[in-house]
Amino acid sequence: MGVPFVPTLGYAGSDVIKDREDFVLAPNPFNPEETVVVAKAINPDVALFHGTKGDLQGNVLVSRDGEALMIAQASRKVIVSVEEIVDKIPQDDTDGTFIPGIHVKAVVHAPYGAYPTACPPYYEMDDAQMKRYLEASSSDEAFSGYLREEVFEPGSHDGYLDKMGLRRGERIGEPVG
Amino acid sequence: MTQAPDCTFEEFMAVLLSREVRDFETSACGALSFIPAMALLLAEASHAPNGDFIILDSPAYNPFVGPKDFHYLAQRGQLDLFFISAIQIDRHADFNLHLIGDPDAPDVRMPGQYGTGLLYYAVPRIVLFRTRHDRRTFVAKVDFVSASASSPKGMARRNKEVVVITPMARMELSRELGLLELASVHPGYTLEQVQENTGFELVLSGKSEGEARVTPFVTEEELTVLRTVVKQRMIETDTYGDMARSKIRDP
């Protein structure tokens, strides 16, 4: 990416962009009588996302159902956690979107790194845990309790997986279900 | 015929929505859209056999990999009709999918509008629908404008028509007046009942010659196609199959 802004169709007249300094109405430079909505570029210093595979060159494979490649191309530092590390991901791997290692600063081997959300084909969403998260999100007090039990007390990602009874290594690499 | 055939609420709404779909056009609905999906497939199986249909929640009717592909198609003007539901719709056909109450301290926050703010500009014909017709939905002014039917001067806008379908009535946006006009009242309801359940003064459509028109009855033919071809197709293609089983009756 690296462009200063992107023109878009729509949103004008709505409250969505009313108080937003990153959306402005501007003349279309190629047709000055026409007004378009222009969105300021987001150029993150750091981007974090989860993928399925990483390889020794830092290439990663992520779900095609998302905009991870665009995020990687827009950000200065990209850190990707993955379910498994392989020797080499082919550029034409059809299991996901290939992100070249040149965009990637670090690859982190983090099995169940998307849990309790899904990371197909490795695991599905854990509906019971998502329900617990949603219920905990209803108040500051409940959410503090959730963070204490699920994040701080386990102490680490490994500690959390132990608490959830998820065994690393055994199922990773084998599609579930 | 003096009385509409007996049908489920979902069947009734789907028939009304399907009548908005035209042949040779590309028509679509988003996620969590069981009733519009039924409507699209009913149109395909009846009066719009040459149409293209996109149902984002259906593997068989979603040609895209990611959401931006769908929005680019719409921005290019290649999507003719899209169905949108909203929690509030006002007299100017502005709609709200964001929150209820004071925007700075809302009583309820909703998931938001996804891409409808773009689609309301990009798609020539928008059908707004709601499964209830009451004063909580049809308000004089929405609490939050997720998307506006009116545009600032000079704004590029491809949308030409806005239709609103509810369980009681059909409305159309008059671009000239900038107001929703009552186009027809469904059989079984009176103009007074519709007005009673609408939080703004209803304007009769210029086409109605001083009297509210009656929406044509749901026909036996529409219901038969829905209960045979459409129901089977939804189950076979995993297009809201479980809901089709429970909400569409057997022929």
Side-chain angles (χ1 to χ4, degrees):
Chain A
M1 299 301 280
V3 293
F5 55 81
V6 174
T8 181
L9 191 62
Y11 300 104
S14 78
D15 289 342
V16 177
I17 64 169
K18 195 175 67 173
D19 299 322
R20 294 278 297 260
E21 288 172 2
D22 52 349
F23 280 86
V24 296
L25 302 189
N28 173 352
F30 299 103
N31 176 10
E33 284 171 20
E34 184 179 270
T35 303
V36 292
V37 174
V38 172
K40 188 179 173 186
I42 299 172
N43 292 119
D45 291 323
V46 182
L48 304 167
F49 52 85
H50 189 69
T52 51
K53 292 177 191 167
D55 75 12
L56 302 179
Q57 280 80 48
N59 303 310
V60 295
L61 202 67
V62 298
S63 165
R64 271 184 293 199
D65 194 10
E67 306 300 349
L69 177 59
M70 198 191 287
I71 294 170
Q73 289 166 334
S75 305
R76 289 184 59 222
K77 282 185 188 173
V78 176
I79 301 168
V80 188
S81 57
V82 294
E83 291 296 326
E84 60 177 319
I85 304 283
V86 296
D87 285 347
K88 175 84 182 124
I89 303 170
Q91 277 170 309
D92 57 355
D93 193 318
T94 54
D95 289 341
T97 296
F98 181 89
I99 298 180
I102 192 135
H103 295 305
V104 179
K105 190 78 175 173
V107 176
V108 180
H109 185 215
Y112 286 99
Y115 180 86
T117 62
C119 186
Y122 294 88
Y123 42 89
E124 297 301 321
M125 186 183 291
D126 186 329
D127 291 340
Q129 284 301 316
M130 290 304 289
K131 189 157 179 278
R132 173 155 153 60
Y133 175 84
L134 287 176
E135 283 165 3
S137 304
S138 62
S139 72
D140 287 344
E141 196 188 353
F143 200 68
S144 300
Y146 178 89
L147 286 179
R148 189 175 61 246
E149 286 174 34
E150 309 292 341
V151 179
F152 299 123
E153 281 176 7
S156 65
H157 184 56
D158 280 354
Y160 177 60
L161 297 188
D162 286 340
K163 175 183 158 61
M164 291 294 143
L166 298 171
R167 303 281 295 275
R168 295 169 302 289
E170 283 186 4
R171 289 160 69 194
I172 295 308
E174 296 169 28
V176 177
Chain B
M1 187 166 47
T2 55
Q3 205 180 342
D6 187 37
C7 61
T8 68
F9 176 71
E10 287 82 4
E11 290 172 333
F12 174 72
M13 289 297 291
V15 167
L16 296 189
L17 261 49
S18 82
R19 292 173 180 173
E20 306 297 330
V21 179
R22 293 179 194 163
D23 204 6
F24 296 100
E25 288 196 349
T26 301
S27 306
C29 66
L32 303 174
S33 297
F34 168 59
I35 292 174
M38 278 167 81
L40 292 174
L41 296 187
L42 175 56
E44 183 184 35
S46 52
H47 62 276
N50 306 295
D52 281 322
F53 299 94
I54 298 166
I55 298 169
L56 291 184
D57 261 354
S58 165
Y61 287 91
N62 182 355
F64 305 114
V65 173
K68 75 174 186 300
D69 303 353
F70 176 65
H71 293 142
Y72 288 168
L73 181 91
Q75 285 195 148
R76 279 201 305 271
Q78 288 178 271
L79 182 59
D80 298 295
L81 177 136
F82 190 73
F83 292 104
I84 299 174
S85 187
I87 48 171
Q88 287 181 329
I89 298 167
D90 71 21
R91 63 193 314 165
H92 301 294
D94 292 354
F95 66 80
N96 176 10
L97 278 167
H98 274 89
L99 55 88
I100 294 291
D102 174 0
D104 293 325
D107 302 326
V108 183
R109 286 189 74 108
M110 312 295 288
Q113 66 175 347
Y114 191 54
T116 56
L118 184 158
L119 297 171
Y120 212 25
Y121 267 82
V123 180
R125 297 197 299 122
I126 291 285
V127 178
L128 293 174
F129 74 101
R130 184 75 170 125
T131 51
R132 51 201 279 179
H133 190 131
D134 56 23
R135 284 172 173 263
R136 288 176 65 187
T137 304
F138 290 93
V139 293
K141 177 89 186 78
V142 292
D143 293 349
F144 186 93
V145 181
S146 296
S148 177
S150 50
S151 337
K153 201 168 179 294
M155 245 346 259
R157 182 165 208 151
R158 209 172 273 120
N159 174 257
K160 297 280 180 270
E161 291 175 31
V162 176
V163 169
V164 181
I165 308 272
T166 78
M168 283 189 190
R170 181 179 184 281
M171 294 178 251
E172 288 173 7
L173 175 68
S174 159
R175 287 271 175 216
E176 202 180 320
L177 302 175
L179 294 173
L180 281 178
E181 293 183 327
L182 186 72
S184 69
V185 176
H186 303 338
Y189 294 102
T190 63
L191 176 59
E192 290 68 32
Q193 282 172 311
V194 179
Q195 178 62 73
E196 218 166 88
N197 288 284
T198 304
F200 51 86
E201 196 187 336
L202 286 170
V203 184
L204 279 187
S205 159
K207 297 173 208 158
S208 51
E209 293 161 359
E211 202 176 329
R213 290 186 178 187
V214 179
T215 311
F217 283 114
V218 170
T219 67
E220 292 285 0
E221 189 186 347
E222 286 167 322
L223 286 178
T224 302
V225 176
L226 193 60
R227 288 169 181 173
T228 53
V229 183
V230 174
K231 183 173 184 175
Q232 192 185 351
R233 183 111 188 97
M234 293 185 94
I235 293 168
E236 277 173 5
T237 59
D238 195 18
T239 305
Y240 301 97
D242 289 342
M243 292 183 81
R245 277 193 191 88
S246 64
K247 305 289 186 188
I248 308 176
R249 285 189 192 153
D250 287 323

